Amino acid sequence: MIFVTGGAGYIGSHVVKLLGEKGCDIIVYDNLSRGHREMVTSGEFIVGDISDKDRLLKIFRDHDVDTVIHFAADSLVGESEEDPHRYYSNNVAGGISLLGAMLEAGVKKIVFSSSAAVYGEPERAPIEEDHPTVPTNVYGNTKLIFENILKKYSSTYGLGFVSLRYFNAAGADPEGAIGEDHSPETHLIPLILDVVLGRKKEIVIFGTDYDTPDGTCIRDYIHVNDLAEAHILALKHLENSPASAIYNLGNGKGFSVREVVGAVERVTGAKVSVVEGDRRKGDPARLVASSEKIMRELGWRPAYAGLDVIVKTAWRWHKRRFGGKW
Ligand code: UDP
């Protein structure tokens, strides 16, 4: 039995859908603080918090859980700086509660949702896994702390873990059944799509004086289904090998904010109103992953690597969810 924390969230729900399609037995556990019940398309659903260790222990024992996929976390960089206690409580203390229940119940395998935010200001691009980890915000720090805890628990208690450091997750289920729905929404692609739908007047570009070809920040957008496939490979790896591992997950291609606006205009046929604004605090100019390691070791390949196909799936979902067709 696979136990998925945070399975009602954006990335978690796409992994849950894929696990369901592959016929896996799963329990989805989410406190619905940020997730949505209707995004959970497979498995048994339990509303609960990862801080509730006794409850977790009972579920692990009653359902013969052998593997955990751990998404449940807060993930807004700005909010993490304003309310660090929330982030250390949920992402670190909550994670420790989960690990405590796993140790007690003898659950020995975990796939962890980490983030490119562990690297901080990059010294080089593309970023490989051995790049220094110096997070520049509390959110990134919580992910790094939890990775370090996993490493220690792995060597001390024999826990097997795979930590996946996501770059910019984007797009939606190609069938249009589920997708991204954050409130507040802070991510670039859904915000531009909001402009197309008339839910927002314009998109503000955060900084146009970066040292990049068009002056705007470059990010590595990776389709959420490609992320989901990597979790399946991580599970297979943990079944076959006791070796823990950390992998980047990105396309290896960077796109600037202006290029993303251009892709949305191409895909939707709409003209997007753009305002050039100031830089957002803590934004590195360029964040691009090397995903060579997961390709080499687990055979992962992105199936939706192009920016237009990512935007196309996001648009299909966004129209349906926010354009009055839900
Ligand atoms: N961005 C922007 N305007 C917005 C939101 C985001 O220019 O309204 C930029 C942001 O500065 C970054 C890129 O778009 O360079 C992606 O931002 P997002 O918040 O989606 O993801 P992040 O890279 O922060 O994880």
Side-chain angles (χ1 to χ4, degrees):
M1 177 71 77
I2 302 171
F3 184 79
V4 185
T5 76
Y10 171 43
I11 300 171
S13 62
H14 285 78
V15 173
V16 165
K17 184 162 185 275
L18 191 61
L19 288 167
E21 286 162 7
K22 303 225 179 247
C24 299
D25 277 336
I26 53 177
I27 296 172
V28 178
Y29 187 82
D30 195 301
N31 68 5
L32 296 179
S33 63
R34 298 260 154 102
H36 306 276
R37 172 71 185 86
E38 66 274 23
M39 300 294 172
V40 181
T41 56
S42 186
E44 181 186 340
F45 182 71
I46 300 175
V47 181
D49 201 282
I50 51 170
S51 63
D52 192 346
K53 188 186 144 207
D54 293 341
R55 181 118 185 264
L56 294 173
L57 189 55
K58 183 163 173 13
I59 296 170
F60 292 169
R61 287 185 169 145
D62 288 352
H63 295 269
D64 213 8
V65 169
D66 55 37
T67 308
V68 170
I69 310 182
H70 179 34
F71 295 100
D74 287 318
S75 61
L76 298 173
V77 167
E79 186 184 64
S80 78
E81 286 293 308
E82 283 154 22
D83 191 0
H85 185 66
R86 175 180 176 133
Y87 279 69
Y88 287 116
S89 300
N90 289 339
N91 297 7
V92 180
I96 290 174
S97 150
L98 173 70
L99 291 176
M102 287 175 66
L103 291 180
E104 241 175 283
V107 181
K108 291 276 188 188
K109 291 178 278 191
I110 180 167
V111 179
F112 174 56
S113 286
S114 188
S115 165
V118 299
Y119 295 113
E121 186 68 40
E123 288 171 7
R124 48 183 189 264
I127 298 172
E128 290 168 341
E129 287 82 353
D130 61 359
H131 183 285
T133 46
V134 190
T136 51
N137 52 63
V138 168
Y139 167 65
N141 201 26
T142 64
K143 292 290 175 183
L144 184 61
I145 290 170
F146 198 70
E147 277 190 358
N148 286 331
I149 292 171
L150 288 175
K151 283 183 195 163
K152 191 66 191 165
Y153 282 29
S154 172
S155 59
T156 309
Y157 305 116
L159 186 78
F161 76 87
V162 173
S163 181
L164 300 174
R165 292 176 176 167
Y166 313 144
F167 281 63
N168 287 62
D173 167 40
E175 290 168 7
I178 55 172
E180 192 165 11
D181 182 355
H182 297 113
S183 56
E185 187 53 79
T186 61
H187 295 108
L188 182 63
I189 294 175
L191 287 176
I192 306 174
L193 294 175
D194 271 346
V195 178
V196 175
L197 282 182
R199 301 176 79 225
K200 251 176 84 75
K201 207 163 119 257
E202 62 215 2
I203 185 79
V204 180
I205 298 187
F206 296 150
T208 52
D209 59 349
Y210 283 97
D211 184 17
T212 58
D214 68 15
T216 67
C217 284
I218 292 176
R219 292 288 177 275
D220 184 333
Y221 297 90
I222 170 167
H223 195 279
V224 66
N225 271 47
D226 286 331
L227 286 183
E229 288 288 352
H231 292 74
I232 307 290
L233 296 173
L235 291 175
K236 280 194 190 133
H237 168 80
L238 286 173
E239 263 167 39
N240 301 326
S241 154
S244 294
I246 295 177
Y247 296 111
N248 284 341
L249 273 174
N251 255 318
K253 276 191 288 259
F255 295 100
S256 72
V257 176
R258 287 194 207 279
E259 284 175 318
V260 176
V261 173
V264 171
E265 291 187 330
R266 269 195 307 280
V267 166
T268 62
K271 179 90 193 90
V272 173
S273 224
V274 166
V275 171
E276 298 189 354
D278 293 336
R279 291 183 176 199
R280 185 172 66 177
K281 199 172 147 263
D283 258 347
R286 189 178 157 84
L287 270 179
V288 180
S290 161
S291 300
E292 290 296 317
K293 188 179 172 206
I294 193 166
M295 290 183 172
R296 196 174 58 241
E297 294 186 6
L298 303 192
W300 178 78
R301 295 282 177 281
Y304 303 91
L307 184 57
D308 284 25
V309 71
I310 291 174
V311 170
K312 217 174 266 177
T313 59
W315 174 228
R316 186 169 173 199
W317 156 257
H318 207 84
K319 257 192 309 206
R320 182 160 166 248
R321 178 77 165 176
F322 304 107
K325 290 182 189 137
W326 179 254

